[in-house]
Amino acid sequence: MFCLSYLVSCLKRNSMHSFTEENYLKAIYKLEEKTGGRVNNTDLAKALAIHSATVTDMLKKMSERKWILYEKSKGFKLTGKGRKSAVGIIRRHRLWEVFLVSKLEFGWDEVHEIAEQLEHVQSEDLINRLDSFLGYPKADPHGDPIPDENGEFMKSEAVLLSKLKAGSKARFAGITDHSTAFLSYLDKIGLALGDTIKIGSIEEFDQSYILQLKSKKEIIVSSRVTNGILVVINY
Ligand SMILES: [Zn+2]
């Protein structure tokens, strides 16, 4: 089991890079994923909910430290070094979420904020032991893939539930809406990750879906819900 004093000693050694830098790295990585290319200051400032002048100062520092490649008119992108750090933070975040849900029995709607704190413990030894302790999980409690020790992600074949036609069957594999409100709503209507979902019919008027759950229960969900859920068809 984990020893608290070990965790504390890891936190004390936490001096490689600051929490703020790590949050920037993670935000840039996520924006790059979304846009598929370079990121600009305005989008990053918006993602971090801070003033763009603050962002510009930090980006200069990060470019000096070779985390990012910064060209004034073109925007910026992560260097190989920056990407490796960002993926490492995502790995730590998602493994901690698995730990919190599977070992400490937190709800999947309760773990994100705690993992935001735990992800900053930088000991690789701790994280590799945590990974092994959890049995090398491939996805976090929200279905997001966990990169392995080498930073490799499992390729996802998930599609939006809203892309499926009436009569098809799929497995609930992930979410695109990570808000607590959405997760609690899914709990309320009885939808959990891993569930088999059959699409009974689709209402033409507003694209709401009638879903048949494993429990034989039928539920009606709005297009906002079907656009927030990822499913795997051939499983
Ligand atoms: Zn999270």
Side-chain angles (χ1 to χ4, degrees), residues 59-208:
L59 288 177
K60 268 188 207 144
K61 252 198 249 169
M62 290 177 73
S63 125
E64 277 160 23
R65 297 190 64 183
K66 308 250 185 312
W67 300 117
I68 56 163
L69 216 68
Y70 190 42
E71 284 174 76
K72 217 170 180 185
S73 53
K74 289 188 187 161
F76 54 89
K77 62 177 184 184
L78 292 170
T79 59
K81 180 185 166 190
R83 175 167 304 272
K84 194 168 170 246
S85 294
V87 170
I89 301 159
I90 288 165
R91 170 171 158 82
R92 301 197 297 256
H93 181 103
R94 293 182 179 167
L95 282 171
W96 282 121
E97 285 193 339
V98 174
F99 177 73
L100 292 167
V101 169
S102 68
K103 303 295 175 193
L104 301 187
E105 290 168 18
F106 278 92
W108 69 336
D109 54 343
E110 297 175 311
V111 292
H112 181 76
E113 293 307 320
I114 309 170
E116 288 280 287
Q117 298 174 36
L118 288 166
E119 71 183 19
H120 298 294
V121 184
Q122 286 167 5
S123 165
E124 256 186 65
D125 184 24
L126 170 70
I127 288 308
N128 292 338
R129 286 192 201 196
L130 177 65
D131 196 11
S132 144
F133 176 68
L134 296 170
Y136 305 100
K138 295 273 175 276
D140 76 8
H142 311 117
D144 294 318
I146 299 174
D148 66 15
E149 218 178 318
N150 305 313
E152 301 292 336
F153 287 89
M154 191 183 60
K155 220 175 156 283
S156 168
E157 275 146 28
V159 293
L160 284 175
L161 177 58
S162 60
K163 299 275 180 237
L164 265 59
K165 294 194 170 70
S168 43
K169 216 171 93 177
R171 179 173 53 84
F172 182 8
I175 45 171
T176 58
D177 177 353
H178 286 76
S179 68
T180 307
F182 186 58
L183 298 175
S184 316
Y185 179 70
L186 293 178
D187 278 345
K188 195 171 139 190
I189 61 175
L191 262 182
L193 214 66
D195 283 359
T196 299
I197 301 171
K198 197 177 168 211
I199 297 151
S201 58
I202 302 166
E203 176 54 56
E204 244 189 83
F205 170 66
D206 63 355
Q207 296 300 305
S208 56

